[in-house]
Amino acid sequence: DTGVSQDPRHKITKRGQNVTFRCDPISEHNRLYWYRQTLGQGPEFLTYFQNEAQLEKSRLLSDRFSAERPKGSFSTLEIQRTEQGDSAMYLCASSSQGTGDSPLHFGNGTRLTVT
Amino acid sequence: AQTVTQSQPEMSVQEAETVTLSCTYDTSESDYYLFWYKQPPSRQMILVIRQEAYKQQNATENRFSVNFQKAAKSFSLKISDSQLGDAAMYFCAYTGANSKLTFGKGITLSVRP
C-alpha cells in the first residue's frame, strides 16, 4: 500500500493561466474523490468517480473546473483561467467501497497559489 | 442537506491530560457514519475513529473514544493521556447514502508540554 499520491505538491500560477493536478489512488480502490480546502476550513467536496465514471459534481465546481479519470486509475483535475479565489489546497482521496464501509484515504494535497 | 458543526475553533490540553472535542450534526437519514479525522500541520489527513449510527456502542481506538448521542445528534471525541503528537486540526465528518464526506470546520488542538 503506497498510499494516495498527488502531484505537484505546490503550484504557483498567475491569474488566467490553466493548471492541472494529478492524483494516483491506492491501486485497488475504485472510488476517487476531490476536495478543496481553504485555510482554517474543513475540506469541501468537489467531485467523485467510481472507476472511470464521474458520479457527482458539486455546485462549487464551476465550468472552469474539469476532472477526469480515463482508465479508472489516476485522475486529473484541471482549472482553466485561474482566479485568485481558486487558491486553496486540493485534496484527493480514494476508497474501495462506499465511504462508510471503507473510509477515505487522503493524499498530501496540492497547494495552489494564484497570484 | 447534512451539516456538521464544530463550534470550538481551538482547544488546548496539558500533556497526559484528557480533552474532549465537540461535534454536532444534522441529518434526516437514519443510517449513516460519523468520523473524526486528524490533520497534522502540513501533513495528510488520517482517520482517527469511525462510528456507525446503528451501533449503540461507542467506538474506541486506543486513547481515542467517542461519545455518540444519536438522539441529540452529538458526536464528541475524547483523547486520553494526550501526547505532543496529538497536536493537529481535528475534523468531524459525516457520510450517509450519498457516499461523500461532509466535514465540519475543524478544531485546532494544541498540547502543552
Side-chain angles (χ1 to χ4, degrees), chain A residues 31 33 35 37 40-43 45 56 99-101 103-104 106-108, chain B residues 33 35 37 39 42-45 47 50 91 95 98-101 103-105:
Chain A
R31 291 196 175 204
Y33 298 77
Y35 281 81
Q37 185 179 21
Q41 300 294 314
F45 170 80
E56 187 172 345
T99 342
D101 300 317
L104 299 191
F106 283 85
N108 284 311
Chain B
Y33 294 81
F35 306 84
Y37 276 86
Q39 189 176 41
S42 302
R43 296 185 63 186
Q44 70 187 137
M45 184 114 46
L47 178 67
R50 176 179 72 160
F91 294 96
T95 192
N98 63 13
S99 290
K100 62 186 185 189
L101 276 178
F103 287 87
K105 288 188 174 183

PDB file of all heavy atoms in Angstrom, chain A residues 31 33 35 37 40-43 45 56 99-101 103-104 106-108, chain B residues 33 35 37 39 42-45 47 50 91 95 98-101 103-105:
ATOM      1  N   ARG A  31     -12.987   3.996  -5.975  1.00  0.00           N
ATOM      2  CA  ARG A  31     -13.601   5.312  -5.794  1.00  0.00           C
ATOM      3  C   ARG A  31     -12.516   6.355  -5.571  1.00  0.00           C
ATOM      4  O   ARG A  31     -11.570   6.121  -4.804  1.00  0.00           O
ATOM      5  CB  ARG A  31     -14.571   5.294  -4.619  1.00  0.00           C
ATOM      6  CG  ARG A  31     -15.794   4.455  -4.908  1.00  0.00           C
ATOM      7  CD  ARG A  31     -16.884   4.746  -3.932  1.00  0.00           C
ATOM      8  NE  ARG A  31     -18.108   4.019  -4.297  1.00  0.00           N
ATOM      9  CZ  ARG A  31     -19.309   4.389  -3.947  1.00  0.00           C
ATOM     10  NH1 ARG A  31     -19.484   5.474  -3.219  1.00  0.00           N
ATOM     11  NH2 ARG A  31     -20.363   3.682  -4.316  1.00  0.00           N
ATOM     12  N   TYR A  33     -12.027  10.684  -4.969  1.00  0.00           N
ATOM     13  CA  TYR A  33     -12.705  11.920  -4.601  1.00  0.00           C
ATOM     14  C   TYR A  33     -11.735  13.099  -4.703  1.00  0.00           C
ATOM     15  O   TYR A  33     -10.549  12.963  -4.389  1.00  0.00           O
ATOM     16  CB  TYR A  33     -13.197  11.853  -3.150  1.00  0.00           C
ATOM     17  CG  TYR A  33     -14.202  10.764  -2.863  1.00  0.00           C
ATOM     18  CD1 TYR A  33     -13.807   9.439  -2.715  1.00  0.00           C
ATOM     19  CD2 TYR A  33     -15.553  11.064  -2.704  1.00  0.00           C
ATOM     20  CE1 TYR A  33     -14.735   8.434  -2.443  1.00  0.00           C
ATOM     21  CE2 TYR A  33     -16.481  10.074  -2.424  1.00  0.00           C
ATOM     22  CZ  TYR A  33     -16.073   8.773  -2.289  1.00  0.00           C
ATOM     23  OH  TYR A  33     -16.994   7.785  -2.012  1.00  0.00           O
ATOM     24  N   TYR A  35     -11.424  17.047  -3.147  1.00  0.00           N
ATOM     25  CA  TYR A  35     -11.917  18.019  -2.190  1.00  0.00           C
ATOM     26  C   TYR A  35     -11.067  19.285  -2.303  1.00  0.00           C
ATOM     27  O   TYR A  35      -9.909  19.234  -2.708  1.00  0.00           O
ATOM     28  CB  TYR A  35     -11.804  17.490  -0.755  1.00  0.00           C
ATOM     29  CG  TYR A  35     -12.889  16.525  -0.357  1.00  0.00           C
ATOM     30  CD1 TYR A  35     -12.831  15.183  -0.720  1.00  0.00           C
ATOM     31  CD2 TYR A  35     -13.987  16.957   0.390  1.00  0.00           C
ATOM     32  CE1 TYR A  35     -13.837  14.306  -0.355  1.00  0.00           C
ATOM     33  CE2 TYR A  35     -15.000  16.077   0.763  1.00  0.00           C
ATOM     34  CZ  TYR A  35     -14.909  14.761   0.374  1.00  0.00           C
ATOM     35  OH  TYR A  35     -15.904  13.880   0.737  1.00  0.00           O
ATOM     36  N   GLN A  37      -9.763  22.574   0.117  1.00  0.00           N
ATOM     37  CA  GLN A  37      -9.665  23.045   1.500  1.00  0.00           C
ATOM     38  C   GLN A  37      -8.989  24.399   1.527  1.00  0.00           C
ATOM     39  O   GLN A  37      -7.851  24.532   1.077  1.00  0.00           O
ATOM     40  CB  GLN A  37      -8.881  22.050   2.358  1.00  0.00           C
ATOM     41  CG  GLN A  37      -8.845  22.409   3.832  1.00  0.00           C
ATOM     42  CD  GLN A  37      -8.093  21.399   4.655  1.00  0.00           C
ATOM     43  OE1 GLN A  37      -7.280  20.629   4.143  1.00  0.00           O
ATOM     44  NE2 GLN A  37      -8.345  21.384   5.954  1.00  0.00           N
ATOM     45  N   GLY A  40      -7.818  27.103   7.344  1.00  0.00           N
ATOM     46  CA  GLY A  40      -8.646  27.142   8.534  1.00  0.00           C
ATOM     47  C   GLY A  40     -10.039  26.578   8.371  1.00  0.00           C
ATOM     48  O   GLY A  40     -10.875  26.717   9.263  1.00  0.00           O
ATOM     49  N   GLN A  41     -10.299  25.945   7.241  1.00  0.00           N
ATOM     50  CA  GLN A  41     -11.626  25.380   6.981  1.00  0.00           C
ATOM     51  C   GLN A  41     -11.531  23.878   6.758  1.00  0.00           C
ATOM     52  O   GLN A  41     -10.458  23.335   6.496  1.00  0.00           O
ATOM     53  CB  GLN A  41     -12.246  26.025   5.737  1.00  0.00           C
ATOM     54  CG  GLN A  41     -12.435  27.518   5.845  1.00  0.00           C
ATOM     55  CD  GLN A  41     -13.450  27.893   6.903  1.00  0.00           C
ATOM     56  OE1 GLN A  41     -14.528  27.316   6.993  1.00  0.00           O
ATOM     57  NE2 GLN A  41     -13.117  28.886   7.714  1.00  0.00           N
ATOM     58  N   GLY A  42     -12.675  23.227   6.839  1.00  0.00           N
ATOM     59  CA  GLY A  42     -12.726  21.815   6.503  1.00  0.00           C
ATOM     60  C   GLY A  42     -12.781  21.612   5.001  1.00  0.00           C
ATOM     61  O   GLY A  42     -13.179  22.509   4.259  1.00  0.00           O
ATOM     62  N   PRO A  43     -12.389  20.432   4.551  1.00  0.00           N
ATOM     63  CA  PRO A  43     -12.458  20.152   3.110  1.00  0.00           C
ATOM     64  C   PRO A  43     -13.891  20.216   2.587  1.00  0.00           C
ATOM     65  O   PRO A  43     -14.826  19.796   3.278  1.00  0.00           O
ATOM     66  CB  PRO A  43     -11.907  18.724   3.012  1.00  0.00           C
ATOM     67  CG  PRO A  43     -11.094  18.536   4.248  1.00  0.00           C
ATOM     68  CD  PRO A  43     -11.786  19.334   5.300  1.00  0.00           C
ATOM     69  N   PHE A  45     -16.354  19.068  -0.616  1.00  0.00           N
ATOM     70  CA  PHE A  45     -16.462  18.102  -1.699  1.00  0.00           C
ATOM     71  C   PHE A  45     -16.542  18.808  -3.057  1.00  0.00           C
ATOM     72  O   PHE A  45     -17.283  19.785  -3.219  1.00  0.00           O
ATOM     73  CB  PHE A  45     -17.715  17.253  -1.484  1.00  0.00           C
ATOM     74  CG  PHE A  45     -18.080  16.374  -2.648  1.00  0.00           C
ATOM     75  CD1 PHE A  45     -17.425  15.178  -2.863  1.00  0.00           C
ATOM     76  CD2 PHE A  45     -19.082  16.756  -3.531  1.00  0.00           C
ATOM     77  CE1 PHE A  45     -17.766  14.365  -3.935  1.00  0.00           C
ATOM     78  CE2 PHE A  45     -19.430  15.951  -4.599  1.00  0.00           C
ATOM     79  CZ  PHE A  45     -18.768  14.746  -4.796  1.00  0.00           C
ATOM     80  N   GLU A  56     -20.733  12.390  -9.407  1.00  0.00           N
ATOM     81  CA  GLU A  56     -21.340  13.590  -8.841  1.00  0.00           C
ATOM     82  C   GLU A  56     -20.359  14.750  -8.897  1.00  0.00           C
ATOM     83  O   GLU A  56     -19.153  14.559  -8.746  1.00  0.00           O
ATOM     84  CB  GLU A  56     -21.757  13.357  -7.389  1.00  0.00           C
ATOM     85  CG  GLU A  56     -22.560  14.514  -6.795  1.00  0.00           C
ATOM     86  CD  GLU A  56     -23.135  14.205  -5.431  1.00  0.00           C
ATOM     87  OE1 GLU A  56     -23.173  13.019  -5.039  1.00  0.00           O
ATOM     88  OE2 GLU A  56     -23.567  15.155  -4.751  1.00  0.00           O
ATOM     89  N   THR A  99     -18.263   5.279   1.317  1.00  0.00           N
ATOM     90  CA  THR A  99     -17.461   5.965   2.319  1.00  0.00           C
ATOM     91  C   THR A  99     -17.642   5.428   3.725  1.00  0.00           C
ATOM     92  O   THR A  99     -16.728   5.494   4.539  1.00  0.00           O
ATOM     93  CB  THR A  99     -17.804   7.464   2.332  1.00  0.00           C
ATOM     94  OG1 THR A  99     -18.452   7.824   1.137  1.00  0.00           O
ATOM     95  CG2 THR A  99     -16.591   8.304   2.529  1.00  0.00           C
ATOM     96  N   GLY A 100     -18.784   4.913   4.036  1.00  0.00           N
ATOM     97  CA  GLY A 100     -18.996   4.409   5.381  1.00  0.00           C
ATOM     98  C   GLY A 100     -18.280   3.098   5.617  1.00  0.00           C
ATOM     99  O   GLY A 100     -17.637   2.892   6.642  1.00  0.00           O
ATOM    100  N   ASP A 101     -18.379   2.208   4.632  1.00  0.00           N
ATOM    101  CA  ASP A 101     -17.761   0.892   4.792  1.00  0.00           C
ATOM    102  C   ASP A 101     -16.260   0.952   4.642  1.00  0.00           C
ATOM    103  O   ASP A 101     -15.529   0.150   5.202  1.00  0.00           O
ATOM    104  CB  ASP A 101     -18.318  -0.081   3.746  1.00  0.00           C
ATOM    105  CG  ASP A 101     -19.818  -0.247   3.894  1.00  0.00           C
ATOM    106  OD1 ASP A 101     -20.275  -0.376   5.037  1.00  0.00           O
ATOM    107  OD2 ASP A 101     -20.513  -0.246   2.867  1.00  0.00           O
ATOM    108  N   PRO A 103     -13.447   3.807   4.796  1.00  0.00           N
ATOM    109  CA  PRO A 103     -13.089   5.222   4.986  1.00  0.00           C
ATOM    110  C   PRO A 103     -12.088   5.719   3.964  1.00  0.00           C
ATOM    111  O   PRO A 103     -11.275   4.955   3.439  1.00  0.00           O
ATOM    112  CB  PRO A 103     -12.501   5.223   6.396  1.00  0.00           C
ATOM    113  CG  PRO A 103     -13.154   4.074   7.067  1.00  0.00           C
ATOM    114  CD  PRO A 103     -13.300   3.018   6.010  1.00  0.00           C
ATOM    115  N   LEU A 104     -12.140   7.006   3.685  1.00  0.00           N
ATOM    116  CA  LEU A 104     -11.281   7.602   2.682  1.00  0.00           C
ATOM    117  C   LEU A 104      -9.829   7.636   3.144  1.00  0.00           C
ATOM    118  O   LEU A 104      -9.543   7.888   4.311  1.00  0.00           O
ATOM    119  CB  LEU A 104     -11.727   9.027   2.369  1.00  0.00           C
ATOM    120  CG  LEU A 104     -13.124   9.222   1.807  1.00  0.00           C
ATOM    121  CD1 LEU A 104     -13.287  10.652   1.318  1.00  0.00           C
ATOM    122  CD2 LEU A 104     -13.407   8.243   0.699  1.00  0.00           C
ATOM    123  N   PHE A 106      -6.533   9.802   2.260  1.00  0.00           N
ATOM    124  CA  PHE A 106      -6.214  11.073   1.622  1.00  0.00           C
ATOM    125  C   PHE A 106      -4.761  11.136   1.176  1.00  0.00           C
ATOM    126  O   PHE A 106      -3.870  10.536   1.799  1.00  0.00           O
ATOM    127  CB  PHE A 106      -6.470  12.229   2.594  1.00  0.00           C
ATOM    128  CG  PHE A 106      -7.920  12.577   2.743  1.00  0.00           C
ATOM    129  CD1 PHE A 106      -8.717  11.896   3.636  1.00  0.00           C
ATOM    130  CD2 PHE A 106      -8.488  13.587   1.979  1.00  0.00           C
ATOM    131  CE1 PHE A 106     -10.067  12.208   3.769  1.00  0.00           C
ATOM    132  CE2 PHE A 106      -9.826  13.904   2.107  1.00  0.00           C
ATOM    133  CZ  PHE A 106     -10.615  13.209   3.006  1.00  0.00           C
ATOM    134  N   GLY A 107      -4.532  11.915   0.125  1.00  0.00           N
ATOM    135  CA  GLY A 107      -3.178  12.264  -0.276  1.00  0.00           C
ATOM    136  C   GLY A 107      -2.698  13.482   0.488  1.00  0.00           C
ATOM    137  O   GLY A 107      -3.419  14.037   1.324  1.00  0.00           O
ATOM    138  N   ASN A 108      -1.468  13.909   0.179  1.00  0.00           N
ATOM    139  CA  ASN A 108      -0.904  15.080   0.851  1.00  0.00           C
ATOM    140  C   ASN A 108      -1.448  16.397   0.317  1.00  0.00           C
ATOM    141  O   ASN A 108      -1.240  17.434   0.918  1.00  0.00           O
ATOM    142  CB  ASN A 108       0.618  15.077   0.722  1.00  0.00           C
ATOM    143  CG  ASN A 108       1.247  14.070   1.662  1.00  0.00           C
ATOM    144  OD1 ASN A 108       0.937  14.019   2.834  1.00  0.00           O
ATOM    145  ND2 ASN A 108       2.136  13.254   1.128  1.00  0.00           N
TER     146      ASN A 108
ATOM    147  N   TYR B  33     -22.684   7.208   8.889  1.00  0.00           N
ATOM    148  CA  TYR B  33     -21.428   7.007   9.605  1.00  0.00           C
ATOM    149  C   TYR B  33     -20.883   8.374  10.016  1.00  0.00           C
ATOM    150  O   TYR B  33     -21.062   9.370   9.302  1.00  0.00           O
ATOM    151  CB  TYR B  33     -20.386   6.324   8.718  1.00  0.00           C
ATOM    152  CG  TYR B  33     -20.731   4.909   8.323  1.00  0.00           C
ATOM    153  CD1 TYR B  33     -21.603   4.643   7.272  1.00  0.00           C
ATOM    154  CD2 TYR B  33     -20.161   3.820   8.981  1.00  0.00           C
ATOM    155  CE1 TYR B  33     -21.910   3.348   6.897  1.00  0.00           C
ATOM    156  CE2 TYR B  33     -20.452   2.521   8.609  1.00  0.00           C
ATOM    157  CZ  TYR B  33     -21.331   2.291   7.564  1.00  0.00           C
ATOM    158  OH  TYR B  33     -21.620   1.006   7.192  1.00  0.00           O
ATOM    159  N   PHE B  35     -17.217  10.268  11.574  1.00  0.00           N
ATOM    160  CA  PHE B  35     -15.770  10.084  11.634  1.00  0.00           C
ATOM    161  C   PHE B  35     -15.119  11.266  12.350  1.00  0.00           C
ATOM    162  O   PHE B  35     -15.637  12.379  12.356  1.00  0.00           O
ATOM    163  CB  PHE B  35     -15.163  10.038  10.216  1.00  0.00           C
ATOM    164  CG  PHE B  35     -15.768   9.035   9.293  1.00  0.00           C
ATOM    165  CD1 PHE B  35     -16.913   9.335   8.578  1.00  0.00           C
ATOM    166  CD2 PHE B  35     -15.180   7.791   9.114  1.00  0.00           C
ATOM    167  CE1 PHE B  35     -17.479   8.408   7.704  1.00  0.00           C
ATOM    168  CE2 PHE B  35     -15.734   6.872   8.242  1.00  0.00           C
ATOM    169  CZ  PHE B  35     -16.878   7.181   7.545  1.00  0.00           C
ATOM    170  N   TYR B  37     -11.299  12.877  11.816  1.00  0.00           N
ATOM    171  CA  TYR B  37     -10.050  12.853  11.078  1.00  0.00           C
ATOM    172  C   TYR B  37      -9.081  13.824  11.739  1.00  0.00           C
ATOM    173  O   TYR B  37      -9.471  14.862  12.262  1.00  0.00           O
ATOM    174  CB  TYR B  37     -10.261  13.286   9.620  1.00  0.00           C
ATOM    175  CG  TYR B  37     -10.719  12.184   8.691  1.00  0.00           C
ATOM    176  CD1 TYR B  37     -12.074  11.888   8.559  1.00  0.00           C
ATOM    177  CD2 TYR B  37      -9.810  11.446   7.952  1.00  0.00           C
ATOM    178  CE1 TYR B  37     -12.505  10.884   7.693  1.00  0.00           C
ATOM    179  CE2 TYR B  37     -10.235  10.443   7.083  1.00  0.00           C
ATOM    180  CZ  TYR B  37     -11.578  10.164   6.973  1.00  0.00           C
ATOM    181  OH  TYR B  37     -11.993   9.162   6.123  1.00  0.00           O
ATOM    182  N   GLN B  39      -5.540  16.102  11.065  1.00  0.00           N
ATOM    183  CA  GLN B  39      -4.676  16.684  10.038  1.00  0.00           C
ATOM    184  C   GLN B  39      -3.545  17.430  10.723  1.00  0.00           C
ATOM    185  O   GLN B  39      -3.692  18.588  11.116  1.00  0.00           O
ATOM    186  CB  GLN B  39      -5.469  17.615   9.123  1.00  0.00           C
ATOM    187  CG  GLN B  39      -4.694  18.088   7.905  1.00  0.00           C
ATOM    188  CD  GLN B  39      -5.542  18.943   6.967  1.00  0.00           C
ATOM    189  OE1 GLN B  39      -6.318  19.780   7.417  1.00  0.00           O
ATOM    190  NE2 GLN B  39      -5.394  18.743   5.658  1.00  0.00           N
ATOM    191  N   SER B  42       0.823  20.564   7.779  1.00  0.00           N
ATOM    192  CA  SER B  42       1.493  20.215   6.525  1.00  0.00           C
ATOM    193  C   SER B  42       1.571  18.719   6.265  1.00  0.00           C
ATOM    194  O   SER B  42       2.446  18.249   5.535  1.00  0.00           O
ATOM    195  CB  SER B  42       2.919  20.809   6.487  1.00  0.00           C
ATOM    196  OG  SER B  42       2.857  22.202   6.628  1.00  0.00           O
ATOM    197  N   ARG B  43       0.681  17.987   6.842  1.00  0.00           N
ATOM    198  CA  ARG B  43       0.682  16.542   6.614  1.00  0.00           C
ATOM    199  C   ARG B  43      -0.715  16.074   6.229  1.00  0.00           C
ATOM    200  O   ARG B  43      -1.679  16.789   6.344  1.00  0.00           O
ATOM    201  CB  ARG B  43       1.177  15.806   7.854  1.00  0.00           C
ATOM    202  CG  ARG B  43       2.619  16.133   8.195  1.00  0.00           C
ATOM    203  CD  ARG B  43       3.114  15.300   9.346  1.00  0.00           C
ATOM    204  NE  ARG B  43       3.117  13.875   9.016  1.00  0.00           N
ATOM    205  CZ  ARG B  43       3.402  12.926   9.885  1.00  0.00           C
ATOM    206  NH1 ARG B  43       3.699  13.244  11.129  1.00  0.00           N
ATOM    207  NH2 ARG B  43       3.383  11.659   9.538  1.00  0.00           N
ATOM    208  N   GLN B  44      -0.791  14.851   5.767  1.00  0.00           N
ATOM    209  CA  GLN B  44      -2.056  14.387   5.222  1.00  0.00           C
ATOM    210  C   GLN B  44      -3.068  14.063   6.300  1.00  0.00           C
ATOM    211  O   GLN B  44      -2.722  13.771   7.447  1.00  0.00           O
ATOM    212  CB  GLN B  44      -1.822  13.165   4.327  1.00  0.00           C
ATOM    213  CG  GLN B  44      -1.418  11.929   5.069  1.00  0.00           C
ATOM    214  CD  GLN B  44      -1.028  10.804   4.120  1.00  0.00           C
ATOM    215  OE1 GLN B  44      -0.053  10.117   4.343  1.00  0.00           O
ATOM    216  NE2 GLN B  44      -1.788  10.599   3.069  1.00  0.00           N
ATOM    217  N   MET B  45      -4.313  14.110   5.923  1.00  0.00           N
ATOM    218  CA  MET B  45      -5.440  13.808   6.785  1.00  0.00           C
ATOM    219  C   MET B  45      -5.485  12.299   7.028  1.00  0.00           C
ATOM    220  O   MET B  45      -5.392  11.511   6.082  1.00  0.00           O
ATOM    221  CB  MET B  45      -6.717  14.256   6.074  1.00  0.00           C
ATOM    222  CG  MET B  45      -7.968  14.111   6.865  1.00  0.00           C
ATOM    223  SD  MET B  45      -8.748  15.645   7.269  1.00  0.00           S
ATOM    224  CE  MET B  45      -8.728  16.507   5.770  1.00  0.00           C
ATOM    225  N   LEU B  47      -7.499   9.052   9.311  1.00  0.00           N
ATOM    226  CA  LEU B  47      -8.680   8.677  10.072  1.00  0.00           C
ATOM    227  C   LEU B  47      -8.289   8.335  11.504  1.00  0.00           C
ATOM    228  O   LEU B  47      -7.349   7.583  11.745  1.00  0.00           O
ATOM    229  CB  LEU B  47      -9.343   7.472   9.428  1.00  0.00           C
ATOM    230  CG  LEU B  47     -10.575   6.920  10.151  1.00  0.00           C
ATOM    231  CD1 LEU B  47     -11.726   7.917  10.083  1.00  0.00           C
ATOM    232  CD2 LEU B  47     -10.990   5.576   9.540  1.00  0.00           C
ATOM    233  N   ARG B  50     -14.088   5.849  13.739  1.00  0.00           N
ATOM    234  CA  ARG B  50     -15.323   5.791  12.952  1.00  0.00           C
ATOM    235  C   ARG B  50     -16.439   5.220  13.814  1.00  0.00           C
ATOM    236  O   ARG B  50     -16.210   4.301  14.602  1.00  0.00           O
ATOM    237  CB  ARG B  50     -15.101   4.891  11.739  1.00  0.00           C
ATOM    238  CG  ARG B  50     -16.324   4.671  10.885  1.00  0.00           C
ATOM    239  CD  ARG B  50     -16.013   3.782   9.702  1.00  0.00           C
ATOM    240  NE  ARG B  50     -15.795   2.403  10.094  1.00  0.00           N
ATOM    241  CZ  ARG B  50     -15.878   1.379   9.260  1.00  0.00           C
ATOM    242  NH1 ARG B  50     -16.160   1.588   7.992  1.00  0.00           N
ATOM    243  NH2 ARG B  50     -15.658   0.153   9.663  1.00  0.00           N
ATOM    244  N   PHE B  91     -11.047  17.125  12.468  1.00  0.00           N
ATOM    245  CA  PHE B  91     -12.284  17.352  11.726  1.00  0.00           C
ATOM    246  C   PHE B  91     -13.289  16.250  12.028  1.00  0.00           C
ATOM    247  O   PHE B  91     -12.963  15.054  11.970  1.00  0.00           O
ATOM    248  CB  PHE B  91     -12.025  17.365  10.217  1.00  0.00           C
ATOM    249  CG  PHE B  91     -11.188  18.519   9.757  1.00  0.00           C
ATOM    250  CD1 PHE B  91      -9.816  18.378   9.586  1.00  0.00           C
ATOM    251  CD2 PHE B  91     -11.767  19.753   9.493  1.00  0.00           C
ATOM    252  CE1 PHE B  91      -9.043  19.452   9.164  1.00  0.00           C
ATOM    253  CE2 PHE B  91     -11.007  20.820   9.067  1.00  0.00           C
ATOM    254  CZ  PHE B  91      -9.639  20.668   8.902  1.00  0.00           C
ATOM    255  N   THR B  95     -21.028  10.838   6.721  1.00  0.00           N
ATOM    256  CA  THR B  95     -21.403  10.314   5.414  1.00  0.00           C
ATOM    257  C   THR B  95     -22.683   9.507   5.541  1.00  0.00           C
ATOM    258  O   THR B  95     -22.887   8.799   6.522  1.00  0.00           O
ATOM    259  CB  THR B  95     -20.283   9.482   4.774  1.00  0.00           C
ATOM    260  OG1 THR B  95     -20.598   9.238   3.407  1.00  0.00           O
ATOM    261  CG2 THR B  95     -20.120   8.141   5.466  1.00  0.00           C
ATOM    262  N   ASN B  98     -25.292   9.238   0.246  1.00  0.00           N
ATOM    263  CA  ASN B  98     -24.697   9.830  -0.957  1.00  0.00           C
ATOM    264  C   ASN B  98     -23.213   9.545  -1.102  1.00  0.00           C
ATOM    265  O   ASN B  98     -22.588   9.987  -2.052  1.00  0.00           O
ATOM    266  CB  ASN B  98     -24.949  11.335  -1.022  1.00  0.00           C
ATOM    267  CG  ASN B  98     -24.312  12.085   0.115  1.00  0.00           C
ATOM    268  OD1 ASN B  98     -23.473  11.552   0.844  1.00  0.00           O
ATOM    269  ND2 ASN B  98     -24.697  13.325   0.290  1.00  0.00           N
ATOM    270  N   SER B  99     -22.650   8.784  -0.170  1.00  0.00           N
ATOM    271  CA  SER B  99     -21.264   8.317  -0.286  1.00  0.00           C
ATOM    272  C   SER B  99     -20.229   9.422  -0.378  1.00  0.00           C
ATOM    273  O   SER B  99     -19.165   9.204  -0.952  1.00  0.00           O
ATOM    274  CB  SER B  99     -21.108   7.404  -1.510  1.00  0.00           C
ATOM    275  OG  SER B  99     -21.778   6.189  -1.289  1.00  0.00           O
ATOM    276  N   LYS B 100     -20.494  10.591   0.124  1.00  0.00           N
ATOM    277  CA  LYS B 100     -19.452  11.606   0.189  1.00  0.00           C
ATOM    278  C   LYS B 100     -19.387  12.150   1.598  1.00  0.00           C
ATOM    279  O   LYS B 100     -20.373  12.193   2.318  1.00  0.00           O
ATOM    280  CB  LYS B 100     -19.713  12.722  -0.825  1.00  0.00           C
ATOM    281  CG  LYS B 100     -20.984  13.481  -0.601  1.00  0.00           C
ATOM    282  CD  LYS B 100     -21.240  14.469  -1.721  1.00  0.00           C
ATOM    283  CE  LYS B 100     -22.475  15.303  -1.406  1.00  0.00           C
ATOM    284  NZ  LYS B 100     -22.899  16.122  -2.537  1.00  0.00           N
ATOM    285  N   LEU B 101     -18.183  12.553   1.983  1.00  0.00           N
ATOM    286  CA  LEU B 101     -17.973  13.072   3.321  1.00  0.00           C
ATOM    287  C   LEU B 101     -18.318  14.551   3.392  1.00  0.00           C
ATOM    288  O   LEU B 101     -17.913  15.324   2.521  1.00  0.00           O
ATOM    289  CB  LEU B 101     -16.512  12.898   3.724  1.00  0.00           C
ATOM    290  CG  LEU B 101     -16.064  11.564   4.294  1.00  0.00           C
ATOM    291  CD1 LEU B 101     -14.576  11.597   4.579  1.00  0.00           C
ATOM    292  CD2 LEU B 101     -16.829  11.195   5.530  1.00  0.00           C
ATOM    293  N   PHE B 103     -17.605  17.615   5.978  1.00  0.00           N
ATOM    294  CA  PHE B 103     -16.730  17.933   7.096  1.00  0.00           C
ATOM    295  C   PHE B 103     -17.223  19.153   7.863  1.00  0.00           C
ATOM    296  O   PHE B 103     -17.840  20.070   7.298  1.00  0.00           O
ATOM    297  CB  PHE B 103     -15.318  18.256   6.583  1.00  0.00           C
ATOM    298  CG  PHE B 103     -14.543  17.077   6.104  1.00  0.00           C
ATOM    299  CD1 PHE B 103     -14.656  16.635   4.799  1.00  0.00           C
ATOM    300  CD2 PHE B 103     -13.676  16.405   6.948  1.00  0.00           C
ATOM    301  CE1 PHE B 103     -13.931  15.548   4.344  1.00  0.00           C
ATOM    302  CE2 PHE B 103     -12.940  15.320   6.507  1.00  0.00           C
ATOM    303  CZ  PHE B 103     -13.070  14.887   5.205  1.00  0.00           C
ATOM    304  N   GLY B 104     -16.875  19.186   9.150  1.00  0.00           N
ATOM    305  CA  GLY B 104     -17.006  20.409   9.910  1.00  0.00           C
ATOM    306  C   GLY B 104     -15.837  21.334   9.618  1.00  0.00           C
ATOM    307  O   GLY B 104     -14.928  20.988   8.848  1.00  0.00           O
ATOM    308  N   LYS B 105     -15.829  22.492  10.278  1.00  0.00           N
ATOM    309  CA  LYS B 105     -14.769  23.470  10.032  1.00  0.00           C
ATOM    310  C   LYS B 105     -13.468  23.100  10.715  1.00  0.00           C
ATOM    311  O   LYS B 105     -12.421  23.669  10.420  1.00  0.00           O
ATOM    312  CB  LYS B 105     -15.205  24.851  10.501  1.00  0.00           C
ATOM    313  CG  LYS B 105     -16.264  25.481   9.614  1.00  0.00           C
ATOM    314  CD  LYS B 105     -16.518  26.920  10.012  1.00  0.00           C
ATOM    315  CE  LYS B 105     -17.465  27.579   9.019  1.00  0.00           C
ATOM    316  NZ  LYS B 105     -17.689  29.010   9.338  1.00  0.00           N
TER     317      LYS B 105
END
